[in-house]
Amino acid sequence: MTTKIILDVDTGTDDAVALMTAALSPDLELIGATTVNGNTGIDSTTENTLRVFEWIGMPQVPVHRGMSRPLSRPQMTQINPATRIHGDLLDLPAATIKAQPGHAVDWLIETLMASDGDITLVPVGPLTNIAMAIQKEPAILAKIPEIVIMGGAHDHGNSTASAEFNIWLDPEAARVVVNCGRPIRMVPLDATHRALVSLEDCARLRALGTPAGEAAARFTEKRIEGYDATQPMHRAGAAPVHDALAVCAIIDPSVITTHFIPVDIETGGFLSDGRTVCDFRFRSRKPANVHFAMDADEPKFVRMLLEILGRTA
Ligand code: BDR
Ligand code: CA
């Protein structure tokens, strides 16, 4: 049986690998992608998403353009579209297909309301679209079986010492989502940094000879170069592909190890704005709300990518 999902993306190199994994996995039915402001502005995250689907020969997957700025904060001026890890536009041919008419938030609401309550939401960018949809039509909550988020960090952040990028960019939205009362799995940096993809793995991806394998190799090599230069991991020549791990966790939950704990988001801290606050205390009286991943199975993750990205549409 396949799991229906909607992938909410701010495409981005690792979002691109997540999109290809979701679109090509025989275990998932990708209903559509919604785009959000994040790694770069909304025009580019939407164009990049269209490029990815066209590249792998799946132009039929609908792409819906979403929020162009955070829920209640001004657009982050710190977004740097020239980062070495993502860049602005992905190095793929320009899209000839277009995004669907209308706003992603309205499409999310209509699609969920018309569903049998069987569509898992998979946001792998800032949580602006999902929070906006919940605020606009709270009745969608009863229709959401699970939200699987790439985002958050317990041990260390990446945007700041405390905060992971997807949460840091729109903490108010993240707060709405983690407190929405529906089942939530979070795939934070604590897990994604434990499942690195290496230069040798990139060679294997390229050797698959498929459009998805080739693009995943190229994007991951770019990530490795950027990580080695600016955010070295515990070993050189390897980098996390965060968003793809969240997709793989839906296909095979054993690729991550989770703890069911109370989680909330700091929205007012001076030094800790956007921190994912995890309550690991045994004496916590707060009810647990999030299955929070603290580890991942790197060999399994890489095996899954090689298997899925070796497929064609
Ligand atoms: C997250 O931030 C983005 O740069 C990546 O696409 C990923 O979703 C990792 O912190
Ligand atoms: Ca992302």
Side-chain angles (χ1 to χ4, degrees), residues 131-298:
M132 194 66 175
I134 291 171
Q135 290 193 333
K136 204 167 171 191
E137 182 47 272
I140 64 171
L141 286 171
K143 294 282 195 172
I144 302 173
E146 188 182 19
I147 306 177
V148 180
I149 298 169
M150 189 283 126
H154 173 61
D155 184 62
H156 60 276
N158 55 6
S159 284
T160 70
S162 294
E164 181 279 330
F165 177 81
N166 289 340
I167 308 297
W168 167 83
L169 192 120
D170 195 348
E172 285 76 16
R175 187 137 209 254
V176 168
V177 176
V178 303
N179 289 300
C180 77
R182 301 305 298 157
I184 292 181
R185 249 187 304 166
M186 253 179 141
V187 183
L189 300 182
D190 307 82
T192 64
H193 287 192
R194 304 273 298 163
L196 306 183
V197 179
S198 68
L199 287 171
E200 294 74 29
D201 297 328
C202 291
R204 287 184 201 109
L205 284 164
R206 184 169 284 108
L208 294 170
T210 58
E214 189 278 327
R218 207 148 34 86
F219 297 154
T220 306
E221 284 163 354
K222 180 181 172 78
R223 297 181 62 75
I224 293 170
E225 196 248 300
Y227 270 88
D228 280 354
T230 62
Q231 294 179 56
M233 294 284 106
H234 58 270
R235 65 179 202 271
V241 188
H242 314 279
D243 298 348
L245 183 64
V247 170
C248 286
I250 302 163
I251 300 166
D252 182 350
S254 72
V255 76
I256 54 172
T257 307
T258 58
H259 304 258
F260 192 37
I261 54 163
V263 171
D264 210 335
I265 307 298
E266 177 61 81
T267 57
F270 176 63
L271 294 173
S272 56
D273 199 22
R275 180 173 179 82
T276 310
V277 180
C278 297
D279 197 343
F280 281 103
R281 296 172 302 164
F282 284 113
R283 65 181 183 184
S284 172
R285 295 222 174 96
K286 285 167 87 197
N289 58 336
V290 171
H291 296 269
F292 191 88
M294 287 295 286
D295 202 357
D297 184 334
E298 180 177 289

Side-chain angles (χ1 to χ4, degrees), residues 22 25 37 56 76 82 96-97 113 140 191 268 282 284:
S25 167
N37 167 63
I56 60 169
M76 286 285 187
T96 64
I97 51 174
M113 291 310 292
I140 64 171
F282 284 113
S284 172

